[in-house]
Amino acid sequence: MRVNISCFGTYFFYRLVCSTLWYTWHDHLNTHRYSLRFTIHRNNFGKYLKVGVIEDQRNKDDIIPLLRFFSSKSEEEYTSLDQYIEGMKENQKQIYYVTADGKEKAMMSPAAEKVRSRGFEVLYLTEPLDEIMIESVTNYKKGDENYKLVDVSKEGLNFDDEDQEERKKKEDELNEDHKNVKTYLETALAEKVQKVKMTDLLNESPAALVQSAYGMSPTMQRYMKAQNVASGGSDAGMMGSMNQAVLEVNPSHPIVQDLERMIVSQGEESNEAKNFAVLLYDVAALTSGYEIEDSGDFANRILSMMTSKATVDIKDAEVESHDVVQKPTSATATAAQTEFFGLKPDNFENV
């Protein structure tokens, strides 16, 4: 997709780049004042810099170092690609990023979790232009090194510090060890996902929804849908690209282990297991940035599980109360009564 910005003109970008370069040089003179002025400058012109990366191929390499993003390590401050590289782990050759509708959602992303848990920094691309812009920045050269930019929400995420053959072997073993739940999820979610695979990269979330190499991110899907509707088209079929999605499942998570036990104990035809599986997908979709199309169906699944849980708790409480309140035997009652009145069973014969 191309964005027409010819009205801005080359002169505009020339002035913009020169102005921003001046602020970078001014950093050596007054750090605090630079930080404040650059933040204001970035908020006002950051979007135009990104448009310049897309459209101005002649000045593209000069503009890219001026881009700023939030990241998993920068907290409330923006970071540049150069700053990211300075903080890289030893032997790291890839720059990891995730796209999302805002910093908070990017932080929630299970896909970003896979990278953060291994100690890598993740750039948060949180503006609508970011995903279009980043397609023009597949690599970033600094000095003699060339760094590849990697979208962590794509299938087949690889790390610099691991052997790829070992990684594939481990994933194959996980898929085989948990073949039962993998097959069940692929059947239950056949209309929602392309495939299901087990992973050990997730350490907090039960599952993550990622895209295949050529699939569209949830942010791009919403953008394309809005563009299609705005131009008078129908949004029908626009979400069909979600079939490109791959559900990555963490088999060590208690929720997934519960599902496995449910399938074994209740059988694959169990409605409870089916609801549990679809709810697992729904949560993965929400935390990965997707929207739930049928909110009513989603609410019904939540209420069904809450009702089932409440019923079990009530039954357990009734059983517990029956266990506590026991009807005393006559011998026990007699002993209690005589002791209460100050009598002893040994004195009965003398009464």
Side-chain angles (χ1 to χ4, degrees):
M1 175 178 293
R2 303 290 290 176
V3 179
N4 188 357
I5 60 163
S6 57
C7 59
F8 292 110
T10 303
Y11 177 72
F12 171 82
F13 284 111
Y14 172 76
R15 290 292 303 274
L16 182 60
V17 171
C18 288
S19 175
T20 307
L21 285 172
W22 181 86
Y23 284 118
T24 304
W25 170 81
H26 196 62
D27 182 25
H28 298 289
L29 302 180
N30 192 322
T31 303
H32 177 72
R33 185 166 57 179
Y34 158 77
S35 179
L36 176 61
R37 295 184 72 177
F38 187 86
T39 298
I40 296 172
H41 187 71
R42 188 265 170 207
N43 290 339
N44 289 333
F45 297 104
K47 291 181 176 64
Y48 299 111
L49 286 172
K50 293 172 182 177
V51 174
V53 172
I54 300 169
E55 291 290 334
D56 193 347
Q57 294 300 310
R58 186 175 62 180
N59 296 309
K60 171 182 170 182
D61 292 338
D62 293 325
I63 301 174
I64 291 174
L66 306 176
L67 299 174
R68 296 294 185 272
F69 309 96
F70 288 120
S71 85
S72 57
K73 292 184 179 179
S74 65
E75 298 182 353
E76 298 302 320
E77 299 294 328
Y78 289 110
T79 190
S80 65
L81 294 178
D82 289 338
Q83 289 172 317
Y84 182 100
I85 291 170
E86 288 174 5
M88 274 183 166
K89 295 177 65 176
E90 187 177 358
N91 298 323
Q92 181 182 345
K93 300 298 181 185
Q94 298 183 145
I95 297 174
Y96 301 103
Y97 71 88
V98 65
T99 59
D101 293 334
K103 181 183 175 184
E104 290 72 20
K105 290 186 178 180
M107 293 171 65
M108 288 174 54
S109 169
E113 170 193 320
K114 295 188 297 185
V115 182
R116 291 195 307 263
S117 65
R118 298 176 70 94
F120 295 106
E121 184 175 10
V122 187
L123 294 176
Y124 297 149
L125 277 61
T126 59
E127 295 180 348
L129 265 176
D130 286 343
E131 192 165 355
I132 302 173
M133 178 273 298
I134 207 67
E135 292 179 359
S136 301
V137 194
T138 54
N139 292 277
Y140 182 68
K141 188 172 183 178
K142 182 175 175 61
D144 296 330
E145 297 291 341
N146 199 32
Y147 300 93
K148 181 181 179 182
L149 274 73
V150 176
D151 184 352
V152 301
S153 63
K154 296 290 187 180
E155 180 191 9
L157 178 64
N158 296 318
F159 297 100
D160 295 319
D161 61 348
E162 67 179 356
D163 184 272
Q164 301 309 315
E165 291 185 4
E166 284 295 319
R167 161 57 46 194
K168 186 177 186 308
K169 181 180 178 183
K170 196 165 189 177
E171 288 184 349
D172 290 342
E173 289 176 353
L174 283 173
N175 286 326
E176 185 61 32
D177 292 342
H178 301 277
K179 186 177 180 179
N180 191 28
V181 69
K182 177 181 181 297
T183 303
Y184 181 81
L185 285 170
E186 285 180 335
T187 302
L189 306 174
E191 297 180 359
K192 299 178 180 292
V193 299
Q194 184 184 40
K195 63 179 176 180
V196 175
K197 59 187 294 187
M198 299 293 148
T199 181
D200 62 342
L201 296 180
L202 295 170
N203 63 344
E204 296 176 6
S205 303
L209 202 61
V210 301
Q211 283 290 322
S212 62
Y214 301 103
M216 287 194 298
S217 74
T219 303
M220 184 58 71
Q221 287 185 31
R222 282 190 291 275
Y223 178 77
M224 293 290 290
K225 182 177 179 180
Q227 287 287 93
N228 193 49
V229 173
S231 62
S234 170
D235 64 348
M238 288 301 298
M239 299 308 289
S241 56
M242 280 194 69
N243 286 328
Q244 295 287 322
V246 176
L247 185 67
E248 295 185 342
V249 179
N250 176 9
S252 63
H253 197 281
I255 289 177
V256 179
Q257 293 175 349
D258 265 356
L259 177 59
E260 286 191 275
R261 285 193 292 268
M262 211 177 290
I263 295 170
V264 172
S265 63
Q266 301 180 13
E268 296 185 358
E269 301 302 320
S270 166
N271 287 331
E272 185 179 0
K274 175 67 181 297
N275 285 337
F276 205 85
V278 177
L279 195 57
L280 177 68
Y281 165 83
D282 287 339
V283 172
L286 285 172
T287 55
S288 299
Y290 294 90
E291 295 177 348
I292 301 299
E293 289 187 67
D294 193 341
S295 57
D297 190 39
F298 175 69
N300 286 335
R301 283 195 295 275
I302 295 289
L303 290 174
S304 176
M305 293 195 67
M306 291 174 68
T307 303
S308 175
K309 177 75 169 112
T311 303
V312 171
D313 287 345
I314 291 172
K315 289 181 179 178
D316 289 345
E318 290 177 349
V319 171
E320 184 176 349
S321 65
H322 286 307
D323 290 341
V324 172
V325 182
Q326 297 180 349
K327 184 177 180 180
T329 61
S330 56
T332 303
T334 303
Q337 291 166 0
T338 53
E339 188 172 351
F340 179 81
F341 288 106
L343 301 176
K344 296 182 179 180
D346 294 343
N347 298 332
F348 283 0
E349 295 178 358
N350 300 326
V351 175

